[in-house]
Amino acid sequence: MTKPVLLTVDDDPEVLNAIERDLRHHFRADYRVVKAPSGAQALETVQQLKTRGSQIALFLVDERMPGMSGTQFLLEAIKIYPDARRVLLTAYADTETAIAAINKVGLDHYLLKPWEPPSTRLYPVLEDLLSEWFARARPAFDGIRVAGTVHSPSSFAVKDFLASNQVPYEWLDMDNDATVRDLLSGVAGFAARLPLVFFPDGTTLVQPTSRELADKVGLQTRAKKPFYDLVVIGGGPAGLAASVYGASEGLRTILIERTAPGGQAGTSSRIENYLGFPGGVTGADLALRAVTQARRFGAEILTAQEVVSIKREDPYRKVMLSDGTELSAYALLISPGMEVRRLEAEGVDALLGAGVYYGAALTEAATYRGKDVIVVGGANSAGQGAMFFSRHARKVTMLIRGPDIASGMSRYLVDRIADTPNVEVLLNTRIVSARGQERLEGVTLANSVTGEQRDLAAAAMFIFIGAAPRTSMVADLVMRDPQGFVLTGRDVMVEGKRPAGWTAPRDPFPFETSVPGIFCAGDARFGSGKRVAAAVGEGSATVSMIHQYLQTV
Ligand SMILES: Cc1cc2nc3c(=O)[nH]c(=O)nc-3n(C[C@H](O)[C@H](O)[C@H](O)COP(=O)(O)OP(=O)(O)OC[C@H]3O[C@@H](n4cnc5c(N)ncnc54)[C@H](O)[C@@H]3O)c2cc1C
């Protein structure tokens, strides 16, 4: 295997040699360092490396170069190597340019010259970026191929499961590729059994379930022990944060996730308001980092396993999984987040996965390149979705029920949408029906002020119309509000009295439910912040309360 390349570009020979020397000194065991004295020559090198099939992990480029600036070079280079990490070398005076480059080229970092001593000012930053690149670039399970048809709910489900668990795969489109039809012709009755998933070991799964896929690609689906200190239900930001803190502070911790770690945040194309990521972070990246971190501390993470019920058998708390497994623990954290609300309009359900999707369905972006798509909803998630699809679709029409866009969306997104020419916003608008034979062809809209109806052709519709807490599994166990949000802390006290069945000689801790030892954090909790940072904060904070609780059992 040839080593991935670190490409550095600078027109000043002295600086170029110095950075090359420092990079070689630290990274030569794992990477090949290549240098170029100008943007133009570097682009030629990039083309040659691409032709040879080499990987580029990092561009480290001087901003101020004659002919082609560092930002201009990156704009071209990332078309060829979109996954490479991007760092600009700048003088103090160019800081503004570097900050502008964060949006323009998705800059990961800018380094001020000189970078002395490299052990503190250069290597830690680059190591962090390279480990992130490596985690994504390295195929976790080389060579999976999914063959199916684009407008098929079962094909979408398989792609979505693999993508949200960050398992690389190659998509084989049966409708548009004759070689794929040839490949499939060896499988009896294939047309009725799509998708087929081919594995590098020569085996094939036909219309697999998430659990079958998870087992096959090596995701953990079974607990290693029958008993834990802490069982975390739900792998969104709250559950992941609790797992990191729980495991790092010595608790035997297991997290159970029904689909893929990351939760709602994992479906976000770009989270821009999470502390410490000035250039934004994709939900997938954040999830990958959190999972790596939790595992490093020894937490187990089960995927494709759903908690279906919870029992209290003092001093134990027991969870039943969808496959019949029972796990026991001293403490539980419920962090199941929210599930999307369904759009009640004629024809929508029949076209699910065939042009109609809940959430961003990032895997489908390429399918709708150059087509007209609809985004339904007026909150931040819809705004992010519209921005994401505007990069692929010919036109994005946002349908918002209310009279203005700013009431449900952060200012930065409202501004960005206004600056994006291929996004049109229709206010006071609701969907009456969706139509299409085998796939979505269009929708009928109604204006709620004038009552006027009209048709709008669209190849895809992405629905973001809010969510409800996913807490039915604890409906008979803990106190919830009428919407299903779990009450915690002072909210479970009734007229100053502890709730019925409360056995501990103390009031509930802030994130503790009406059952001692069962905690709740994140979006499913009554009064929570409904943000990534809020969920992370709550999940982390719960662990110290769990420690206090454990001292009493
Ligand atoms: C598209 C989108 C974009 C967003 N963008 C931003 C943003 O830019 N900034 C921001 O701050 N916030 C954003 N949010 C909101 C943010 O993602 C949520 O507030 C946050 O994810 C809540 O975290 P959580 O851990 O409480 O729940 P969730 O993220 O909802 O995770 C809960 C997890 O629990 C799992 N689960 C549920 N029930 C069970 C069960 N019975 N057994 C096992 N597992 C179960 C679910 O599958 C899910 O993975 C966005 C939300 C969406 C949908």
Side-chain angles (χ1 to χ4, degrees):
M1 274 273 289
T2 53
K3 292 178 192 168
V5 168
L6 311 182
L7 178 63
T8 182
V9 192
D10 203 308
D11 62 310
D12 179 334
E14 233 173 82
V15 179
L16 185 61
N17 288 339
I19 192 89
E20 182 200 22
R21 182 199 59 221
D22 285 347
L23 290 177
R24 285 223 164 108
H25 173 75
H26 194 74
F27 294 106
R28 71 169 165 252
D30 300 315
Y31 296 91
R32 190 153 64 94
V33 179
V34 175
K35 63 177 176 176
S38 71
Q41 289 185 45
L43 274 183
E44 274 177 34
T45 307
V46 170
Q47 285 291 4
Q48 286 160 5
L49 289 168
K50 188 73 187 176
T51 318
R52 275 188 245 136
S54 303
Q55 289 177 296
I56 296 186
L58 174 91
F59 296 116
L60 176 54
V61 191
D62 187 27
E63 169 57 16
R64 201 174 278 200
M65 295 188 290
M68 184 184 282
S69 71
T71 308
Q72 285 168 333
F73 162 77
L74 284 175
L75 267 177
E76 296 307 315
I78 60 176
K79 289 180 192 158
I80 306 167
Y81 281 98
D83 295 329
R85 302 290 120 166
R86 304 134 199 200
V87 179
L88 274 184
L89 267 178
T90 57
Y92 185 71
D94 294 331
T95 309
E96 286 303 318
T97 320
I99 290 171
I102 291 177
N103 278 338
K104 217 165 167 188
V105 298
L107 193 70
D108 291 299
H109 203 84
Y110 61 89
L111 282 168
L112 292 181
K113 289 191 271 191
W115 55 89
E116 294 298 332
S119 56
T120 54
R121 304 225 14 236
L122 182 67
Y123 301 146
V125 169
L126 297 192
E127 271 169 3
D128 192 35
L129 292 176
L130 288 172
S131 65
E132 191 189 307
W133 173 85
F134 184 74
R136 295 191 67 76
R138 184 187 50 177
F141 198 85
D142 197 14
I144 291 179
R145 290 175 301 159
V146 181
T149 54
V150 172
H151 301 284
S152 131
S154 46
S155 295
F156 171 65
V158 165
K159 286 192 285 175
D160 196 43
F161 180 81
L162 291 174
S164 44
N165 278 290
Q166 319 220 11
V167 178
Y169 65 87
E170 186 185 1
W171 166 241
L172 306 177
D173 181 357
M174 204 198 77
D175 290 336
N176 296 315
D177 192 337
T179 53
V180 175
R181 287 193 288 275
D182 289 347
L183 176 78
L184 292 179
S185 59
V187 182
F190 71 87
R193 305 165 69 206
L194 293 172
L196 299 179
V197 186
F198 300 97
F199 294 90
D201 62 2
T203 56
T204 305
L205 286 179
V206 179
Q207 282 188 341
T209 61
S210 297
R211 178 65 189 273
E212 287 169 329
L213 280 172
D215 282 333
K216 185 72 192 167
V217 302
L219 297 171
Q220 186 184 349
T221 57
R222 288 179 195 83
K224 293 183 182 154
K225 302 186 266 272
F227 184 84
Y228 293 83
D229 295 319
L230 170 62
V231 170
V232 178
I233 303 163
L240 286 167
S243 304
V244 168
Y245 280 86
S248 70
E249 291 171 17
L251 300 181
R252 287 167 293 172
T253 304
I254 187 164
L255 181 150
I256 299 155
E257 168 53 50
R258 54 190 287 282
T259 52
Q264 296 170 72
T267 67
S268 169
S269 49
R270 191 166 234 218
I271 299 163
E272 302 206 41
N273 55 359
Y274 188 58
L275 186 73
F277 292 88
V281 58
T282 64
D285 248 350
L286 197 62
L288 182 71
R289 283 164 179 259
V291 166
T292 311
Q293 205 171 5
R295 288 216 169 103
R296 216 187 96 217
F297 287 123
E300 287 181 48
I301 296 184
L302 303 194
T303 306
Q305 276 282 22
E306 181 164 2
V307 172
V308 288
S309 65
I310 299 178
K311 274 195 299 197
R312 169 181 183 175
E313 283 179 17
D314 285 333
Y316 307 114
R317 308 287 175 254
K318 298 195 168 177
V319 296
M320 252 56 62
L321 308 189
S322 42
D323 68 352
T325 312
E326 186 177 285
L327 295 177
S328 302
Y330 285 128
L332 296 186
L333 173 65
I334 308 168
S335 50
M338 314 267 276
E339 60 191 326
V340 287
R341 283 218 173 84
R342 297 279 149 181
L343 178 63
E344 305 287 341
E346 191 191 321
V348 168
D349 285 352
L351 293 166
L352 263 185
V356 174
Y357 307 92
Y358 283 95
L362 305 180
T363 53
E364 304 308 291
T367 305
Y368 299 108
R369 183 163 290 134
K371 310 225 166 105
D372 290 356
V373 307
I374 291 171
V375 166
V376 187
N380 277 1
S381 54
Q384 284 179 5
M387 288 309 300
F388 175 75
F389 287 110
S390 71
R391 302 205 290 272
H392 303 273
R394 190 186 76 91
K395 181 175 175 194
V396 178
T397 307
M398 280 194 86
L399 307 181
I400 298 179
R401 276 205 324 189
D404 80 305
I405 185 172
S407 58
M409 204 179 287
S410 299
R411 189 74 242 169
Y412 80 93
L413 271 171
V414 175
D415 292 345
R416 214 163 280 176
I417 286 167
D419 287 346
T420 308
N422 65 337
V423 179
E424 184 186 8
V425 178
L426 300 183
L427 300 171
N428 297 315
T429 304
R430 67 181 176 84
I431 303 255
V432 177
S433 61
R435 61 167 194 286
Q437 287 302 317
E438 290 180 346
R439 64 189 69 167
L440 181 76
E441 288 160 20
V443 296
T444 301
L445 310 176
N447 182 303
S448 51
V449 177
T450 63
E452 186 194 331
Q453 294 202 356
R454 70 174 174 105
D455 285 346
L456 179 68
M461 172 159 76
F462 302 94
I463 304 166
F464 303 80
I465 52 167
R470 201 191 283 268
T471 57
S472 54
M473 79 197 119
V474 287
D476 300 328
L477 187 67
V478 301
M479 286 166 65
R480 302 184 304 159
D481 82 343
Q483 278 75 46
F485 289 100
V486 174
L487 302 183
T488 55
R490 292 164 65 100
D491 292 323
V492 303
M493 304 288 280
V494 184
E495 290 169 358
K497 294 206 183 76
R498 293 168 188 162
W502 182 265
T503 43
R506 57 169 174 83
D507 288 352
F509 293 125
F511 296 137
E512 199 168 23
T513 67
S514 53
V515 175
I518 301 185
F519 296 78
C520 181
D523 280 13
R525 195 181 70 81
F526 174 78
S528 62
K530 312 288 182 288
R531 289 283 183 276
V532 177
V536 167
E538 292 191 6
S540 324
T542 312
V543 171
S544 68
M545 293 161 213
I546 290 172
H547 271 294
Q548 292 182 54
Y549 171 76
L550 290 179
Q551 284 166 14
T552 67
V553 288

